[in-house]
Amino acid sequence: MTLPSYSPTWSEDDRVDLPLDGDEREILTAYLDWHRRTFELKCAGIPAERLSDKNIPPSGLSLHGLVRHLAGTERWWFRQQFAGEDVPMLHYSDDNPNEDFDALDGDVEAAFTLWREECARSREIVASSTLDATGTHFRTGKPVSLRRIVVHMIAEYARHNGHADLLREQIDGATGH
């Protein structure tokens, strides 16, 4: 039997293979971490000054903006809505809800450090809770399960990894999944 040829992965790909079976927690957390690492790989090796390039007009997206957005999204869902931590919003204000993409001041590596810290805190929260545990969905005031949040975050990363594909290819032509 001839196997199909698969699309190329990143040359620095060190992601752990996704499980083909396992319990729900194992599969969900593996997929979320795989997508987190995929985003990091799509940004790897790019000079810091190029990470802020907004090179797909008319979109205002950049890799720098995406890392800021994802740090804020990790905090918003896991720490604020699920765990109920009283921590400030990241890269957001009512006056400028697109601050994560618009205000690209500051050190890019500091943005990645903050994102990694938020991911680490999210992992701690997930590890210490059941998937059935709930926080409060701020928009509706209704309970939201950790399971739903993890699935939402997988979708969030998958969507933004697609954006990162396009941004990266415009910067240096690199592609991969």
Side-chain angles (χ1 to χ4, degrees):
M1 174 174 141
T2 304
L3 294 176
S5 61
Y6 296 103
S7 59
T9 58
W10 293 99
S11 60
E12 317 78 25
D13 193 352
D14 60 355
R15 293 171 295 180
V16 175
D17 287 339
L18 289 166
L20 297 176
D21 63 2
D23 66 25
E24 183 180 24
R25 173 182 291 278
E26 179 184 1
I27 298 229
L28 290 175
T29 57
Y31 266 80
L32 181 52
D33 277 334
W34 188 89
H35 277 292
R36 286 171 174 147
R37 182 65 185 135
T38 298
F39 176 74
E40 197 166 23
L41 285 169
K42 290 176 187 297
C43 298
I46 298 173
E49 65 275 6
R50 299 292 315 269
L51 288 165
S52 296
D53 287 2
K54 296 179 180 183
N55 52 19
I56 305 178
S59 171
L61 292 178
S62 68
L63 293 169
H64 185 184
L66 284 172
V67 76
R68 289 166 50 100
H69 173 74
L70 290 168
T73 303
E74 292 272 353
R75 178 175 283 199
W76 171 252
W77 282 103
F78 290 107
R79 296 180 70 183
Q80 293 175 305
Q81 292 192 90
F82 179 74
E85 293 182 13
D86 184 18
V87 292
M89 300 283 286
L90 292 175
H91 318 300
Y92 173 90
S93 70
D94 289 337
D95 293 335
N96 186 2
N98 289 320
E99 184 179 321
D100 43 3
F101 296 108
D102 295 343
L104 297 179
D105 53 339
D107 179 37
V108 174
E109 190 50 47
F112 275 95
T113 298
L114 179 58
W115 170 70
R116 289 181 192 107
E117 289 168 354
E118 291 299 325
C119 290
R121 180 66 186 120
S122 296
R123 285 184 193 98
E124 291 170 1
I125 291 167
V126 171
S128 67
S129 303
T130 69
L131 294 173
D132 292 324
T134 61
T136 302
H137 188 258
F138 289 168
R139 187 169 5 127
T140 65
K142 295 179 180 178
V144 59
S145 73
L146 181 58
R147 175 183 294 101
R148 196 291 194 176
I149 291 170
V150 172
V151 169
H152 173 81
M153 290 300 293
I154 291 167
E156 183 84 10
Y157 274 94
R159 178 174 43 258
H160 292 315
N161 280 338
H163 297 136
D165 278 336
L166 297 172
L167 291 162
R168 176 65 186 258
E169 189 171 6
Q170 286 295 312
I171 291 171
D172 66 3
T175 60
H177 76 276

